[in-house]
């Protein structure tokens, strides 16, 4: 039945999945094995998370239920999948629990280290998940505004130094560093950094592989605006509009 529920969740049939959990699984939990109870809690968390993502509605109560259900599954000795770790980290960040999200990031780092020294199966997928969680963490830290810019910049620099970033990840990290410089009143430094990094990306051919490259042109425009160079600002923003996905502002 869990496989059927997973398929229903993947197919965005949340009400049917919810009914199966409520009417068929939950009444029998008293007779279920530990593994089955753990699977139940993880599936409940999956359902709540996917439902809120589909409806684009998030609540504190919903995020708390997600974290509680995943934690209960772990307490019953069922490891979370990579997808579930990422969902748990996202829920923690929406609750403002940056410490909890950092713990999930550390767990992913430990998995990567173990795979590098032993069985490397799933290593690339784990790295990709880790990078997405890290990006969410930095974005949440920036939104909070209670961390020193130097601390965040160091986090991003360490992230870049780790290597093996996709073009999209690299553009994201450059954008965040530029954003920090502009926010700190260092528009000239931001512009210089962006020009150097954008030339490097272009020479490596990685600019064409990054769907978010338009953000760098947007930040370059912001930098020129702060410097009072309106003509260059307008030119870079026009380029950004051509490159940014339709869904971006």
């Amino acid at each position: 039945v869990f496989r059927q529920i997973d398929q229903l969740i993947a197919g965005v049939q949340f009400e049917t999945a919810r009914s199966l959990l409520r009417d068929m699984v939950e009444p029998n939990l008293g007779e279920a094995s530990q593994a089955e109870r753990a699977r139940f809690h993880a599936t409940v968390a999956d359902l709540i998370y996917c439902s809120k993502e589909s409806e684009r509605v998030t609540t504190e109560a919903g995020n708390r239920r997600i974290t509680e259900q995943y934690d209960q599954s772990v307490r019953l000795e069922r490891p979370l999948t990579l997808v579930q770790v990422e969902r748990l980290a996202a829920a923690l960040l929406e609750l403002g629990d940056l410490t909890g999200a950092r713990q999930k990031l550390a767990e992913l780092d430990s998995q990567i280290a173990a795979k590098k020294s032993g069985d490397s199966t799933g290593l690339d997928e784990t790295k990709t998940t880790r990078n997405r969680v890290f990006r969410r963490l930095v974005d949440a830290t920036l939104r909070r505004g209670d961390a020193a810019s130097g601390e965040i910049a160091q986090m991003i620099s360490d992230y870049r130094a780790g290597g093996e970033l996709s073009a999209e990840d690299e553009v994201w990290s450059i954008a965040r560093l530029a954003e920090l410089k502009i926010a700190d009143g260092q528009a000239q430094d931001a512009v210089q950094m962006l020009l150097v990094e954008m030339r490097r990306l272009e020479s490596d051919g990685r600019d064409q592989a990054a769907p978010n490259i338009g953000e760098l042109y947007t930040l370059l425009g912001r930098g020129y605006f702060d410097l009072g160079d309106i003509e260059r600002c307008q030119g870079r923003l026009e380029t950004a509009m051509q490159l940014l996905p339709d869904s971006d502002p």
Side-chain angles (χ1 to χ4, degrees):
V1 67
F2 284 116
R3 185 175 300 175
Q4 181 183 359
I5 293 171
D6 288 342
Q7 292 172 346
L8 289 168
I9 293 173
V12 199
Q13 299 180 55
F14 301 128
E15 284 304 321
T16 305
R18 192 173 289 111
S19 295
L20 285 177
L21 280 170
R22 183 185 63 240
D23 300 335
M24 293 186 62
V25 180
E26 192 168 10
N28 298 305
L29 284 180
E31 302 172 0
S33 66
Q34 178 173 309
E36 289 170 333
R37 285 184 283 120
R39 180 73 180 272
F40 167 78
H41 290 294
T43 303
V44 169
D46 287 339
L47 174 58
I48 298 170
Y49 182 90
C50 292
S51 178
K52 82 177 183 67
E53 287 294 294
S54 176
E55 297 168 2
R56 298 190 176 186
V57 175
T58 184
T59 64
E60 180 177 347
N63 285 313
R64 290 203 180 281
R65 282 203 68 202
I66 290 168
T67 61
E68 289 166 0
Q69 292 295 322
Y70 279 140
D71 286 346
Q72 184 66 22
S73 179
V74 171
R75 282 195 291 271
L76 290 169
E77 300 181 356
R78 185 179 190 274
L80 300 181
T81 66
L82 288 176
V83 170
Q84 290 169 340
V85 170
E86 186 173 359
R87 289 171 177 171
L88 175 54
L92 288 167
L93 288 171
E94 290 191 21
L95 289 169
D97 186 356
L98 272 61
T99 300
R102 288 192 185 99
Q103 290 174 350
K104 298 302 123 185
L105 188 68
E107 290 173 14
L108 290 169
D109 285 335
S110 296
Q111 289 184 36
I112 290 170
K115 289 180 183 296
K116 284 182 175 179
S117 62
D119 182 2
S120 62
T121 303
L123 176 59
D124 289 343
E125 184 182 0
T126 307
K127 287 180 179 178
T128 299
T129 300
R130 190 266 180 203
N131 287 347
R132 285 198 299 265
V133 170
F134 176 81
R135 287 170 56 171
R136 284 178 181 265
L137 174 60
V138 170
D139 287 340
T141 303
L142 286 169
R143 286 195 300 272
R144 282 264 296 257
D146 57 357
S149 60
E151 177 187 346
I152 302 174
Q154 188 60 55
M155 288 171 60
I156 299 170
S157 296
D158 292 344
Y159 170 69
R160 296 185 72 193
E164 303 179 46
L165 298 182
S166 68
E168 183 176 357
D169 285 333
E170 191 160 9
V171 167
W172 173 87
S173 65
I174 295 167
R176 299 291 76 75
L177 289 171
E179 199 171 38
L180 286 169
K181 289 181 181 295
I182 291 171
D184 283 347
Q186 303 174 40
Q188 186 64 56
D189 288 347
V191 166
Q192 287 301 117
M193 184 198 75
L194 284 165
L195 291 173
V196 170
E197 294 288 3
M198 291 165 76
R199 280 195 292 268
R200 181 180 59 79
L201 289 170
E202 184 178 1
S203 67
D204 293 344
R206 289 169 68 80
D207 58 326
Q208 300 299 317
N212 53 340
I213 190 69
E215 185 177 9
L216 298 188
Y217 284 92
T218 300
L219 289 164
L220 192 55
R222 283 177 56 188
Y224 280 129
F225 180 84
D226 285 359
L227 293 172
D229 192 337
I230 304 304
E231 183 177 351
R232 281 196 173 95
C233 168
Q234 184 175 356
R236 299 312 182 275
L237 292 179
E238 287 174 354
T239 301
M241 292 297 292
Q242 295 171 9
L243 294 171
L244 286 168
D246 292 339
S247 59
D248 283 1

